[in-house]
Amino acid sequence: MHQNASKKLSPSAENLGKLQKKNMNEFLSWAFFGIHYSTIQSTPEMNQVLEQFYAILKNQAGLTFEEGKNINFVPRCFTFEKVNSLYRPYGVYASVQLMRFSANCVLYALGFRRFNCERGLRYWHRPATKQLSHSSNGKRPVQNQLSPFFFFHGIAPGGHAPYLPMIFLGILRNHFQQRDIFFFENKPISYALCMDALSEEDTVHGVIEAINRHLNKASANRLTLCGHSFGSCQLTWIVKSPQLRDILESLILLDPVSILLSEPDVMINFLYTRPESNEESYTCSNTLL
């Protein structure tokens, strides 16, 4: 639910009043049924379910709503609202493709190779080239290999390309050669001319396929996953998978959308806040990636 005004909330916001039942009817109809409230009004069964929602809110959360509609509040039904899309000339996509090609050349020079999974997931992999050596109780050195590193990028031109400096010079700076490294591609959010988004099932299947293809039993039992922004959603899919959740050693979450979407201002700022300049208007929220 969003304040029906372009100005930010002020100390006088308490004068806006409270949410009323018609406000909630519109929101709940979209959130739980994916339809407009006018459709629910003509369907007795759905009307009954909607009343059950109010009973749950009252009994378990102590929330009640007066009859009527407060015009100061408007429900944000994201999938029903008009998309303010911006189209880019082909030259923009060509430039991004050049950046992606350059990044791929760097990965290839560093020993990475690209693989395609059965259901469409693509990734880059480089096996560990060195092992850690340390002494155990003064005895001869013991060889250890660090846990494999899986990276899932967020919405970004070129996909994994902008992340390479952060990963190689930051996260993996001291142990770049001591672990298997996987970079997973997600073309629909990478400024690529691609319209086929992978489902949760296909993504998890691809990760399992990559593990079986490259890792031995010992290293496959302790994985390190890292995801930025939208990539944290893919990490959520992996954590939910019965086949993968028990072999995870650690998670690295960078600006995790899967968690931050619970904050009301995140989605509002991403989709609805108007930029102050023309340069800022070229953002991911209104770009057809």
Side-chain angles (χ1 to χ4, degrees), residues 58 85 148 157 164-165 175 185 199 216 219 228 253 261 269 272 285:
K58 180 179 180 180
S85 59
L164 298 187
H175 304 293
E185 296 183 355
S199 65
N216 56 41
S219 59
H228 172 253
L253 303 176
L261 279 181
N269 291 335
Y272 301 107
S285 62

Side-chain angles (χ1 to χ4, degrees), residues 13 38 44 63 77 111 114 128 137-138 149 161 170 186 191 199 210 250 268 276:
S38 57
L63 297 175
C77 306
R114 190 180 185 185
N137 297 327
F149 180 82
N186 194 346
Y191 261 70
S199 65
S250 60
I268 295 300
E276 296 180 358

Side-chain angles (χ1 to χ4, degrees), residues 3-270:
Q3 179 188 352
N4 188 14
S6 59
K7 297 181 180 179
K8 296 182 180 180
L9 290 175
S10 63
S12 61
E14 57 185 14
N15 297 326
L16 294 173
K18 298 180 179 180
L19 289 173
Q20 296 181 340
K21 199 165 185 179
K22 285 189 177 180
N23 300 109
M24 292 301 300
N25 284 341
E26 296 175 7
F27 177 74
L28 294 175
S29 299
W30 166 75
F32 290 97
F33 298 104
I35 58 179
H36 293 282
Y37 178 58
S38 57
T39 304
I40 287 186
Q41 285 179 303
S42 60
T43 310
E45 294 81 2
M46 288 187 175
N47 248 321
Q48 184 178 2
V49 174
L50 196 59
E51 291 302 321
Q52 291 176 357
F53 288 157
Y54 287 113
I56 293 173
L57 290 173
K58 180 179 180 180
N59 296 332
Q60 297 189 13
L63 297 175
T64 58
F65 302 91
E66 299 177 358
E67 294 292 339
K69 182 176 182 179
N70 187 337
I71 62 173
N72 291 318
F73 295 95
V74 177
R76 286 305 192 183
C77 306
F78 305 129
T79 56
F80 289 163
E81 298 176 3
K82 182 180 179 181
V83 176
N84 181 27
S85 59
L86 295 177
Y87 296 85
R88 301 287 183 263
Y90 178 76
V92 173
Y93 294 97
S95 299
V96 172
Q97 180 61 30
L98 178 61
M99 179 176 66
R100 182 185 295 109
F101 175 77
S102 301
N104 291 345
C105 290
V106 172
L107 289 177
Y108 194 88
L110 292 174
F112 286 83
R113 296 298 179 265
R114 190 180 185 185
F115 298 89
N116 295 325
C117 295
E118 179 182 352
R119 299 190 183 181
L121 184 65
R122 295 180 177 180
Y123 64 93
W124 288 81
H125 169 256
R126 196 220 60 184
T129 57
K130 291 184 179 180
Q131 292 183 329
L132 290 176
S133 299
H134 68 275
S135 299
S136 177
N137 297 327
K139 299 180 180 179
R140 63 181 182 180
V142 177
Q143 300 293 329
N144 280 336
Q145 183 175 319
L146 296 177
S147 60
F149 180 82
F150 291 65
F151 182 77
F152 297 84
H153 66 78
I155 300 176
H160 55 272
Y163 295 93
L164 298 187
M166 176 191 72
I167 293 174
F168 294 144
L169 302 179
I171 298 176
L172 301 181
R173 178 179 56 184
N174 297 325
H175 304 293
F176 170 67
Q177 297 179 320
Q178 286 82 26
R179 64 171 85 223
D180 283 71
I181 302 175
F182 296 79
F183 291 122
F184 289 88
E185 296 183 355
N186 194 346
K187 294 190 70 175
I189 60 171
S190 304
Y191 261 70
L193 297 177
C194 174
M195 301 298 175
D196 299 321
L198 291 180
S199 65
E200 175 179 344
E201 180 182 353
D202 291 340
T203 300
V204 171
H205 184 276
V207 172
I208 294 175
E209 184 178 332
I211 291 173
N212 293 335
R213 177 182 293 171
H214 301 287
L215 302 180
N216 56 41
K217 187 175 181 180
S219 59
N221 285 330
R222 48 190 186 89
L223 309 179
T224 296
L225 305 184
C226 179
H228 172 253
S229 189
F230 184 85
S232 65
C233 297
Q234 295 169 298
L235 263 60
T236 301
W237 301 345
I238 295 175
V239 172
K240 288 169 53 182
S241 171
Q243 297 172 275
L244 296 174
R245 67 165 67 109
D246 294 331
I247 62 175
L248 303 181
E249 182 178 79
S250 60
L251 294 177
I252 303 174
L253 303 176
L254 309 174
D255 289 335
V257 168
S258 56
I259 297 176
L260 296 179
L261 279 181
S262 61
E263 299 292 334
D265 58 335
V266 172
M267 187 60 74
I268 295 300
N269 291 335
F270 185 78

